[in-house]
Amino acid sequence: MDEVSWGIIGTAGIADKVGRAISTARGARLAAIASRSRGKAEAWAADRGVPATFGSYEALLEEDSIDAVYIPLPPSLHMEWTVKAAVKGKHVLCEKPLAL
């Protein structure tokens, strides 16, 4: 694999900072953003030049072209979405803590 295709699950403020880091990292590409609101994902993506948007976290995890996900959700959701992403075969970068 020459390039890791990243998706972000959620549009929290920290997603901006980590999204920029992913975009500038060699061998990485920020390919998608998911939000519970399709409109919010589309607005976030348009402001940052992200090509794909999803109106649910599940839809992003179903996307075969996404290799890894960044999870900047509230801590109470970290374990749930980390496990769901792993089950779908995605590599995961999760904000701390992993679980409560």
Side-chain angles (χ1 to χ4, degrees):
M1 178 183 306
D2 293 336
E3 183 176 71
V4 177
S5 179
W6 284 84
I8 298 178
I9 295 179
T11 57
I14 191 68
D16 282 321
K17 189 175 198 176
V18 176
R20 281 192 305 272
I22 291 168
S23 294
T24 61
R26 186 176 24 170
R29 178 175 65 93
L30 182 51
I33 182 77
S35 176
R36 293 173 293 169
S37 159
R38 179 74 178 221
K40 193 170 185 179
E42 289 172 350
W44 197 96
D47 288 346
R48 294 154 185 89
V50 176
T53 61
F54 297 91
S56 74
Y57 306 149
E58 293 90 350
L60 185 143
L61 294 180
E62 291 294 331
E63 177 56 48
D64 290 336
S65 67
I66 301 297
D67 303 310
V69 294
Y70 169 56
I71 302 175
L73 298 172
S76 63
L77 299 174
H78 287 178
M79 185 172 66
E80 173 186 356
W81 288 100
T82 296
V83 170
K84 286 180 179 183
V87 166
K88 292 294 183 180
K90 308 297 185 196
H91 300 278
V92 178
L93 173 61
C94 184
E95 279 295 310
K96 62 182 187 295
L98 180 58
L100 297 177

